């Protein structure tokens, strides 16, 4: 299983680059980072930790309901160079960022109180060093909790190519890279596998005020080149590579060492790119509406978490499913509702008991039951589908105090119009979880059918691939509609941009990430990428004056990259 594999540690840059499966020459960024580190701190880095951003192909806002998702790592990433330093201040950190004007240098140190480490993280402000501290937190309290061993003082230098607030999970990439940095500099990498790193990063990101479901961290850590990841979270973390019908134009390394360089750590990549095939690639387009999960958590991300959790309890009661049998007030997820609906006993961390076929059937049936979450007074034609706080407490079967303790004591939320949308959120989650299974099935079936169906017939292969891309595109379009109308995590710019992408020839287009701004992802014919990007530049108003590198920053094609790793200098 991919989650049980060790964290990759490379000592040769050509091996690290080759693992990316990338069409981008990363060498200048790495060389510049190492050179700048030495100039600023007077020594070479000991490690560089890399964590990529991710694009979620389908399965939005269902990971914290514990349903499977289908993300893929992108080529853009966060890099952190680091090295221990001499200091009497235990665990002290000097943190600098190459984008210094935007992210000023910071110096901080943890404090040990009653066998627990503390770092000051201000959840009310968006500070770049908060993500560094968040990654550090889990390492401190996992490996240094009792003070018998002291964390090393460290210098770090950060650079990133994942646009902040774009929906490509720059925050998770930053936390994963930070966690890796402090594991590496304290010689703890060997004590953590990929699955454990995902768990650490999930808990660490909560330190900045985001109740993450784990998809972003899992994609950043576990991804493989040229595949999406089908990730499930219940009863245990499971990741399965799913091959994508992305054509044949995967760049290959022809030469990976610059012979004229005297520095063995400096690398130039020479890439041989085959002619574009009949497959599809994913094009990420930034709406240029900045969305930050921390800033909007109260009325957006965290509110949706609470709504889905309460919807699970209410639906369980409506369907007379087992609930609170041990006397405790369960904070049930919608995925756990599925197991109880099927009469299957499941426990977190236990064996998987629900087959894909059972899950498919249950999702279809439960989707039809979500109408029971509408207000009791609702009548056909009523536009208001939400319930008030008082109504929500009543249908939960809990007292006001019990409801607060279970659902509100640990998170700050506010329904903008005083209405909590239990029906809409559950309807989205069940239908989106079903679309993930359909997307996965289409990819697997295409992979299995191509060799036997075409037998070397290029025209037949192209026809089969195109039919698969059309299925995937239709599912992406349905997902966007659901995100916009049921989960209400889109925005006018994302709705406009996805429409323009479909009009420009995309098989499908949808928002990706938390939403409320950020990026779209579109499935585009490989041979049409340049034409597609030109059409979007001409039609999406915020792009019209962008040229060259500025345009490439906001719209770019990507193929699935590898997950996080550490490069060790020797």
């Amino acid at each position: 299983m991919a989650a049980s594999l060790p964290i990759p540690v490379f000592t040769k840059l050509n091996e690290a680059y080759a693992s990316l499966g990338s069409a981008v020459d990363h060498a200048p960024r790495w060389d510049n980072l190492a050179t700048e580190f030495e100039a600023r701190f007077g020594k070479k880095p000991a490690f560089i930790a890399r964590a990529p951003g991710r694009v979620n192909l389908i399965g939005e806002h269902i990971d914290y309901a514990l349903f499977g998702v289908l993300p893929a790592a992108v080529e853009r990433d966060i890099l952190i160079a680091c090295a221990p330093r001499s200091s009497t201040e235990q665990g002290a950190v000097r943190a600098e960022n190459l984008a210094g004007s935007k992210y000023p240098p910071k110096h901080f140190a943890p404090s040990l109180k009653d066998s627990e480490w503390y770092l000051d993280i201000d959840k009310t402000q968006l500070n770049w060093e908060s993500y560094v501290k968040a990654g550090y937190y889990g390492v401190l309290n996992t490996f240094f909790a009792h003070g018998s061993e002291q964390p090393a003082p460290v210098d770090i230098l950060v650079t990133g190519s994942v646009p902040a607030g774009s929906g490509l999970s720059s925050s998770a990439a930053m936390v994963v890279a930070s966690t890796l940095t402090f594991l590496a500099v304290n010689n703890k990498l060997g004590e953590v596998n990929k699955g454990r790193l995902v768990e650490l990063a999930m808990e660490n990101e909560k330190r900045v005020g985001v109740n993450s479901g784990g998809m972003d961290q899992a994609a950043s850590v576990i991804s493989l080149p040229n595949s999406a990841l089908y990730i499930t979270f219940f009863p245990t973390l499971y990741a399965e590579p799913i091959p994508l019908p992305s054509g044949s134009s995967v760049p290959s390394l022809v030469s990976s060492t610059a012979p004229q360089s005297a520095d063995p750590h400096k690398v130039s990549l020479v890439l041989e790119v085959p002619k574009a095939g009949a497959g599809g690639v994913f094009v990420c387009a930034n709406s240029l509406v900045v969305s930050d999960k921390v800033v909007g958590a109260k009325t957006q991300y965290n509110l949706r978490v609470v709504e889905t959790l309460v919807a699970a309890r209410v639906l369980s009661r409506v369907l007379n499913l087992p609930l609170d049998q041990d006397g405790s007030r369960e904070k049930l997820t919608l995925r756990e509702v599925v197991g109880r609906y099927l009469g299957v006993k499941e426990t977190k961390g236990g064996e998987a008991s629900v087959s894909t076929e059972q899950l498919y059937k249950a999702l279809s049936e439960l989707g039809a039951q979500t109408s029971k979450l509408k207000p009791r007074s609702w009548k056909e034609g009523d536009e208001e589908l939400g319930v008030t706080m008082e109504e929500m407490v009543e249908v939960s079967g809990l007292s006001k105090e019990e409801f607060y303790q279970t659902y509100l004591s640990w998170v700050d939320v506010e329904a903008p119009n005083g209405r909590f949308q239990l029906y809409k959120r559950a309807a989205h989650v069940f239908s989106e979880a079903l679309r993930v299974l359909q997307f996965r099935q289409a990819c697997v079936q295409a992979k299995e059918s191509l060799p036997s169906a075409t037998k070397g017939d290029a025209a037949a292969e192209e026809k089969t691939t195109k039919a698969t891309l059309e299925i995937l595109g239709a599912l992406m379009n349905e997902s966007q509609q659901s995100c916009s109308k049921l989960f209400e995590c889109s925005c006018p710019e994302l709705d406009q941009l996805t429409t323009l992408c479909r009009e420009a020839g995309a098989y499908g287009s949808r928002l990706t990430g938390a939403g409320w701004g950020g990026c779209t992802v579109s499935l585009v014919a490989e041979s049409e990428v340049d034409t597609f990007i030109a059409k979007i530049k001409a039609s999406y108003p915020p792009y019209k004056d962008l040229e060259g590198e500025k345009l490439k920053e906001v719209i770019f094609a990507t193929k699935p990259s590898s997950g996080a790793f550490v490069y060790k200098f020797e």
Side-chain angles (χ1 to χ4, degrees):
M1 177 181 169
S4 64
L5 295 174
I7 307 300
V9 179
F10 298 104
T11 56
K12 296 180 180 178
L13 278 180
N14 60 320
E15 294 175 357
Y17 287 135
S19 79
L20 298 178
S22 172
V24 177
D25 185 354
H26 292 271
R29 287 181 64 231
W30 284 63
D31 289 341
N32 181 57
L33 181 64
T35 301
E36 277 291 323
F37 186 93
E38 186 169 4
R40 296 180 187 216
F41 298 115
K43 61 195 170 191
K44 290 186 176 181
F47 303 94
I48 293 180
R50 174 197 182 256
R54 66 95 190 94
V55 57
N56 191 26
L57 306 181
I58 198 161
E60 220 60 75
H61 284 284
I62 63 174
D63 56 335
Y64 49 81
L66 300 184
F67 284 107
V69 291
L70 264 170
V74 296
E75 297 173 31
R76 299 194 173 208
D77 54 26
I78 301 293
L79 301 178
I80 301 181
C82 63
R85 66 185 174 90
S86 298
S87 173
T88 57
E89 199 176 9
Q90 61 182 14
V93 178
R94 290 191 300 184
E96 297 194 18
N97 196 305
L98 284 184
S101 59
K102 188 176 181 181
Y103 306 120
K106 296 292 178 179
H107 176 239
F108 54 87
S111 58
L112 184 63
K113 300 176 184 178
D114 300 324
S115 298
E116 185 173 353
W117 290 91
Y118 290 87
L119 282 163
D120 181 31
I121 296 178
D122 186 352
K123 296 182 181 180
T124 66
Q125 298 185 45
L126 182 60
N127 298 318
W128 78 272
E129 74 276 8
S130 293
Y131 297 98
V132 177
K133 291 178 180 179
Y136 198 8
Y137 236 116
V139 176
L140 286 168
N141 286 305
T142 300
F143 297 100
F144 301 96
H146 301 293
S148 57
E149 185 181 356
Q150 298 301 315
V154 60
D155 295 321
I156 69 171
L157 181 60
V158 179
T159 188
S161 59
V162 187
S166 66
L168 297 180
S169 198
S170 59
S171 59
M174 187 70 169
V175 172
V176 169
S178 172
T179 305
L180 274 179
T181 294
F182 293 107
L183 287 170
V185 83
N186 286 289
N187 299 314
K188 302 298 182 184
L189 279 173
E191 300 180 41
V192 175
N193 62 18
K194 290 187 175 186
R196 182 67 181 118
L197 177 58
V198 171
E199 292 170 353
L200 274 174
M202 282 176 62
E203 290 302 312
N204 288 344
E205 192 163 353
K206 291 178 182 178
R207 302 283 184 179
V208 293
V210 177
N211 290 283
S212 171
M215 173 188 68
D216 299 347
Q217 297 83 0
S220 185
V221 172
I222 304 175
S223 288
L224 297 175
N226 308 318
S227 296
L229 274 186
Y230 175 58
I231 306 172
T232 57
F233 304 92
F234 187 81
T236 57
L237 176 67
Y238 171 79
E240 175 191 5
I242 302 296
L244 293 166
S246 56
S248 58
S249 66
V250 179
S252 58
L253 285 167
V254 178
S255 171
S256 57
T257 304
Q260 48 290 55
S261 174
D263 187 343
H265 297 296
K266 286 191 176 290
V267 170
S268 297
L269 298 185
V270 181
L271 294 163
E272 185 178 74
V273 182
K275 184 179 178 181
V281 297
F282 294 98
V283 177
C284 298
N286 194 334
S287 68
L288 297 180
V289 176
V290 175
S291 172
D292 183 82
K293 286 191 291 187
V294 174
V295 174
K298 185 176 180 179
T299 59
Q300 297 173 349
Y301 191 94
N302 287 351
L303 175 62
R304 298 303 187 274
V305 173
V306 170
E307 287 173 325
T308 58
L309 288 170
V310 176
R313 166 172 284 274
V314 177
L315 190 59
S316 295
R317 294 189 75 233
V318 168
L319 298 178
N320 296 314
L321 301 178
L323 187 64
D324 300 338
Q325 291 184 312
D326 61 357
S328 65
R329 301 310 183 188
E330 290 185 282
K331 197 159 60 181
L332 205 64
T333 65
L334 287 167
R335 169 60 184 82
E336 289 169 293
V337 171
V338 170
R340 296 184 189 193
Y341 177 78
L342 292 169
V344 175
K345 187 175 182 179
E346 297 178 297
T347 56
K348 187 170 179 59
E351 293 294 322
S353 305
V354 176
S355 69
T356 302
E357 292 73 21
Q358 287 177 302
L359 185 57
Y360 196 105
K361 182 174 183 293
L363 287 170
S364 302
E365 294 173 356
L366 285 169
Q369 297 287 347
T370 56
S371 60
K372 296 177 180 178
L373 296 173
K374 295 175 182 178
R376 289 175 177 174
S377 60
W378 185 87
K379 295 179 181 179
E380 194 69 41
D382 288 353
E383 292 187 8
E384 182 54 68
L385 297 170
V387 296
T388 65
M389 174 67 80
E390 292 74 19
E391 290 171 328
M392 186 165 63
V393 172
E394 181 185 352
V395 295
S396 74
L398 302 176
S399 69
K400 205 171 185 179
E401 294 72 21
E402 289 172 328
F403 186 91
Y404 175 83
Q405 186 60 37
T406 305
Y407 294 107
L408 300 176
S409 62
W410 50 276
V411 67
D412 189 18
V413 301
E414 178 185 320
N417 64 352
R419 295 276 179 166
F420 296 82
Q421 302 292 338
L422 307 186
Y423 158 70
K424 285 185 176 182
R425 309 312 182 228
H428 167 78
V429 169
F430 285 137
S431 64
E432 186 79 346
L434 186 59
R435 283 186 286 272
V436 168
L437 295 181
Q438 293 168 333
F439 197 104
R440 173 185 176 275
Q441 184 180 35
C443 291
V444 171
Q445 286 181 342
K447 181 70 173 179
E448 292 174 347
S449 65
L450 270 175
S452 58
T454 62
K455 295 181 180 178
D457 185 334
E461 180 176 350
E462 184 173 345
K463 183 178 179 181
T464 301
T465 299
K466 188 173 186 296
T468 302
L469 295 175
E470 288 173 348
I471 292 171
L472 302 184
L475 291 169
M476 292 172 70
N477 292 337
E478 290 173 14
S479 174
Q480 172 60 25
Q481 179 74 3
S482 184
C483 285
S484 180
K485 303 302 181 185
L486 292 177
F487 218 76
E488 298 174 299
C489 59
S490 190
C491 65
E493 293 84 357
L494 285 170
D495 290 337
Q496 178 189 22
L497 188 51
T498 53
T499 298
L500 292 174
C501 287
R502 287 190 286 271
E503 292 173 352
Y507 289 105
S509 184
R510 59 181 296 278
L511 65 84
T512 185
W516 299 288
C519 273
T520 64
V521 58
S522 300
L523 181 57
V524 178
E526 196 167 8
S527 58
E528 299 297 322
V529 169
D530 291 342
T531 302
F532 173 83
I533 291 176
K535 288 180 178 179
I536 300 304
K537 179 189 184 306
S539 60
Y540 187 55
Y543 286 3
K544 288 187 177 180
D545 295 328
L546 300 179
E547 301 289 346
E549 289 302 313
K550 288 186 177 180
L551 182 64
K552 290 178 183 178
E553 281 294 311
V554 298
I555 184 167
F556 55 90
T558 187
K559 288 193 175 183
S561 172
S562 69
F565 62 76
V566 170
Y567 173 73
K568 181 179 180 181
F569 287 80
E570 291 188 331

